[in-house]
């Protein structure tokens, strides 16, 4: 479908601290249901969309890599350490990632 640019603001690392991630809308729509209401009728094939979220960007990066690995076989599944379990569970629940909750 289209490419989504996700600007992730991480206030825990300081004011204005952010990173931009890129992902195909199909991955977000199928793996992170939170984005469905926003993206479903907003994006057309070949179109690019910018969205912003507030989240720890290291946790979002882990979740996005996980989503991509389940959608794209050539992408390696990220390793889950003990220190990431709770933040990943909380964020995946918020993002409506049913396979992780």
């Amino acid at each position: 479908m289209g490419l989504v640019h996700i600007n992730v603001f991480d206030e825990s690392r300081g004011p204005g601290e952010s990173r931009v991630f890129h992902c195909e809308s199909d991955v977000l729509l199928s793996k992170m249901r939170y984005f469905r209401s926003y993206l479903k009728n907003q994006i057309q094939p070949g179109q690019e969309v910018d969205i912003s979220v507030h989240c720890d960007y290291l946790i979002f990066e882990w979740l996005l890599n996980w989503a991509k690995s389940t959608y794209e076989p050539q992408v390696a599944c990220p390793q889950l350490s003990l220190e990431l379990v709770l933040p990943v569970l909380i964020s995946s629940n918020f993002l409506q990632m049913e396979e992780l909750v």
Side-chain angles (χ1 to χ4, degrees):
M1 211 177 204
L3 186 64
V4 180
H5 306 281
I6 309 142
N7 194 2
V8 179
F9 291 95
D10 187 348
E11 289 84 9
S12 70
R13 299 186 191 282
E17 193 65 31
S18 68
R19 285 192 184 168
V20 177
F21 298 92
H22 309 281
C23 186
E24 288 295 325
S25 61
D26 292 345
V27 175
L28 291 180
L29 291 171
S30 69
K31 300 299 178 181
M32 296 181 172
R33 292 182 46 213
Y34 172 83
F35 294 111
R36 283 185 183 175
S37 63
Y38 178 75
L39 292 176
K40 190 160 181 132
N41 298 320
Q42 298 293 324
I43 192 163
Q44 303 298 319
Q47 180 184 8
E48 294 187 13
V49 172
D50 294 317
I51 58 176
S52 297
V53 296
H54 295 265
C55 181
D56 181 306
Y57 55 64
L58 296 177
I59 300 302
F60 188 85
E61 180 177 40
W62 190 97
L63 293 169
L64 188 60
N65 287 337
W66 177 85
K68 288 178 178 180
S69 74
T70 62
Y71 200 78
E72 304 168 8
Q74 72 274 15
V75 177
C77 187
Q79 296 296 313
L80 182 61
S81 66
L82 190 56
E83 66 186 25
L84 293 180
V85 170
L86 189 57
V88 163
L89 181 61
I90 292 168
S91 295
S92 63
N93 183 54
F94 180 80
L95 293 170
Q96 301 170 20
M97 300 175 75
E98 293 176 356
E99 293 175 61
L100 290 176
V101 179

